[in-house]
Amino acid sequence: MPMPINTTSVFELQPGLLNIKSVPVQNDSVDEPDNSEIRKITEDVINAVKYSLTATAAHPDSVRSNSTESEFAAVMEKLGKIRPGMVEAARSEARALVQADESVRRAVFGRHGAIPAQAFVGNGFKRSLEDQGSIEVNAKLLGVTSNSVTIPNGVLRPTDGGLLIPSDVLIGRGGNVVAPNDFQSVVSDTATSAAKSGVFDKERMDSVWGATTDFDPYAEQAPDSDFMPQAAASRLGVYVRRVKCEDETDPEWWGNDEIALGGISTDENGDVKKIGETFVGDGFKDGKSKSYSDWQFHWFSLNEERFWPKKYGITFVLAEKDNGGLSDFLNKLWAEVKDKVKEAIEKALEIAGGIVGGMFGVAEIGRVIGQVLGKAVAWAINKLVEWLIGLFKDDIFKPATAWLTVPSAHARWYYPNGTWGNPWSGTWWFRFSGFGGRYLLEYQWRLY
């Protein structure tokens, strides 16, 4: 696990107390989602993609044109010319998996394994997920109250605030008695209105997802506070400092490595964006490194939402260019996985009930789901790369993800002398291994 080159112990104190020095905290672990229902939803998408890629490797002629699977088949074909032994071994393992009994396929690929491999890859994982529908989830475990509404014979009366109140006669918003055939639509509209008015169990949400505030808790301090004010930052930048070849990829006698660096970002709302590849350089061999003074790899806006703390993720995707376009394909795949995970969460909430589904649009709940989406997608990426590494036998650089939690726009790090107020983090690093080689990446965060 990467460790900071410069470290300082930080004591977390509550806003309003003395000696408050708000410090961003980095976490490098890519853990599975804490919530069982989000984990279940995400794993179902992961299984669909795993089955799709495996079936494509086994039956490349069955893929549909202009699909994700056809792009992967093209990458496999290119790789076959560069590393024929590796690709043939991967195809052989893939065929053994997809031709196994249904019970084995289901154990490996979940519910998707019930579908024959050629039929699944012909549809593609996106269409197959749509055709199979959403999996069941427990709404309470998602942090929302029961969505069931018992409608008495006396029906309901909606208030201006969207609350449902029993009455003898169902009255429309204009004051007119609603005809029986309009009953369902009025109840549905009222339920949605109640949801969007923010009627939900905040204590339950906080217990499941963690408490947040809708204001910056460090923006103002008590009069006797020892808090050292800093100008509020509006952006968070990620800077690459050095890329070093510790061990050239195999075969070393053939030539020097050509390295590129791309990535994926996740903001406080869970929006996942692709960071295009940048060519780092060629001629990399053992011990050679390249340093940078001003390479801003990516930046985030701190002003998109008002709640705090905010969590940001950056996934570095290192690529040796002689890989048949595999790294570029993976970058595209991550974006599609993000979309399917988000879509699956939304559908699961809708199936859980009209009120729960409608509440997805409520700012508080949208924020909560948005944050967990980023973590779920990072976990999905990690699991899929592990799967591909198993298929290709370590011939992929595994992406590395760093998470930074920013408690306030006024947060800063410590200087090496122990003084608080540094807009720059210490220098952190990740090590990438794959293709028989090893690379070191050093980077920093900056608040500005």
Side-chain angles (χ1 to χ4, degrees), residues 1-2 26-32 311 375 378 382 401-403 430:
M1 177 179 293
Q26 175 169 301
N27 177 14
D28 300 315
S29 63
V30 182
D31 302 321
E32 65 181 28
K311 190 170 186 177
K375 184 174 182 178
N382 197 58
T401 300
W403 296 100
F430 282 112

Side-chain angles (χ1 to χ4, degrees), residues 22 213-221 232 306-308 407-411:
S22 174
T213 63
D214 59 358
F215 60 91
D216 187 338
Y218 296 90
E220 296 181 6
Q221 296 295 316
R306 65 182 184 179
F307 61 82
W308 296 92
S408 165
H410 299 264

